[in-house]
Amino acid sequence: MPCPTPRGGAILDLSFGLGLVEAVRDHALTSSDFSATDLAIDMLYLVEAKSAAMEASRTLNRRLRGAMLAAEERAFTDPLTGLRNRRAMTRAMTDLLRRGASFAVMHVDLDFFKQVNDTLGHGAGDRVLAGVAALMLELTRQDDTVARIGGDEFVIIVAGLTDRARLSELADRLIARLEAPNAFGPEGADPQVRISASIGIALQAPGRGAHRGAEDLLEASDIALYAAKRAGRGRFAFHGGSSGPEGGDRRASAEDVGKTGGGSAR
């Protein structure tokens, strides 16, 4: 901008200053709109470089966050069945205990599973476990936690439910579905794999003999599980519960087992 003065004048080079980026965007300016001595182009380059660096940083953070979530998911997932593992089960149970919630712990152990591995091989055994996992997910709710904690051992944490009648119905239905003939044989064969399950159930409700922690609840459900095993397998038992009616009822008492300990082999 020419500025004539009595002594000859001067040329004043004006710039947008802090409003440069907005001016370029609003008026679609290009490099030809600036003088060769204007540092605006250099400033624009620095702004673009900063924006690119920030976007790269955000992208990297998203990738790192995704990788962290994926690693955490793998750490809490059983690779064979896709269920939660023992670590995830303990965390879920501890969280429920911390919140003072009511829930039931169903400790499930497959009966006659060893014969599947011995007669049909471990590949068939893996398919049985995957099928059992799918069945458990089908019979439980989204808020429940289904975990595989050992070879053929599973734990179902039934959130917000301690009613024995409803839990008995769930256990009965699960055992009946597992005992139904299922084709879990190897490829090209059609053997009818027959398995069953024994289930031990422990209850947790505020003000009703609360257990000390997750391991105590798991031990209580395991005691009930051994009672069901001793009663003939294909049954369920409540920890500290009373015997059910005589006859075909699947219930068994865990009351005496809690005092004497022990148990038969699975």
Side-chain angles (χ1 to χ4, degrees), residues 2-211:
C3 299
T5 66
R7 296 184 180 181
I11 295 179
L12 182 62
D13 193 355
L14 299 177
S15 178
F16 289 100
L18 295 177
L20 174 63
V21 175
E22 290 79 6
V24 170
R25 181 188 63 229
D26 295 341
H27 302 289
L29 301 180
T30 65
S31 59
S32 61
D33 296 308
F34 299 92
S35 68
T37 58
D38 198 334
L39 297 178
I41 300 300
D42 293 335
M43 181 178 176
L44 287 172
Y45 173 78
L46 292 176
V47 170
E48 287 298 321
K50 178 183 177 183
S51 299
M54 290 181 65
E55 180 58 31
S57 177
R58 284 192 293 267
T59 301
L60 179 60
N61 285 335
R62 286 194 296 268
R63 291 175 59 187
L64 290 175
R65 178 64 177 170
M68 184 179 69
L69 292 175
E72 183 177 354
E73 182 66 17
R74 287 194 298 271
F76 287 98
T77 302
D78 174 59
L80 176 62
T81 63
L83 298 178
R84 305 286 83 183
N85 58 19
R86 178 181 285 269
R87 183 180 178 187
M89 175 211 67
T90 301
R91 185 173 73 166
M93 207 182 303
T94 301
D95 182 61
L96 288 169
L97 289 168
R98 186 183 301 115
R99 292 191 281 114
S102 299
F103 61 95
V105 179
M106 302 180 69
H107 199 149
V108 183
D109 185 82
L110 300 184
D111 298 324
F112 317 116
F113 179 74
K114 185 175 183 299
Q115 287 89 317
V116 176
N117 279 334
D118 291 345
T119 58
L120 299 175
H122 290 281
D126 289 348
R127 282 189 287 275
V128 169
L129 293 173
V132 170
L135 177 59
M136 289 182 174
L137 290 175
E138 177 188 337
L139 294 179
T140 53
R141 305 163 303 176
Q142 187 174 0
D143 292 339
D144 300 332
T145 299
V146 184
R148 177 179 176 232
I149 64 171
D152 60 346
E153 284 187 73
F154 300 82
V155 166
I156 302 173
I157 302 175
V158 189
L161 181 60
T162 56
D163 181 75
R164 292 189 176 223
R166 292 177 61 187
L167 290 168
S168 297
E169 181 183 351
L170 174 59
D172 224 358
R173 189 162 65 250
L174 176 57
I175 294 172
R177 292 285 299 274
L178 289 173
E179 289 181 347
N182 292 287
F184 287 123
E187 296 288 339
D190 188 29
Q192 294 298 305
V193 176
R194 302 302 296 267
I195 61 171
S196 184
S198 298
I199 303 175
I201 307 172
L203 306 178
Q204 170 63 23
R208 192 190 298 173
H211 294 273

Side-chain angles (χ1 to χ4, degrees), residues 86 89-90 93 97 103 105-107 149 153 155 199-203 211-227 230 237-240 254 257-262 266:
R86 178 181 285 269
M89 175 211 67
T90 301
M93 207 182 303
L97 289 168
F103 61 95
V105 179
M106 302 180 69
H107 199 149
I149 64 171
E153 284 187 73
V155 166
I199 303 175
I201 307 172
L203 306 178
H211 294 273
R212 292 187 298 274
E215 289 303 318
D216 300 292
L217 273 171
L218 191 61
E219 181 180 358
S221 65
D222 193 52
I223 290 172
L225 171 62
Y226 274 109
R230 281 200 298 269
F238 286 90
H239 182 260
V257 184
K259 298 175 184 176
T260 61
R266 298 178 187 178

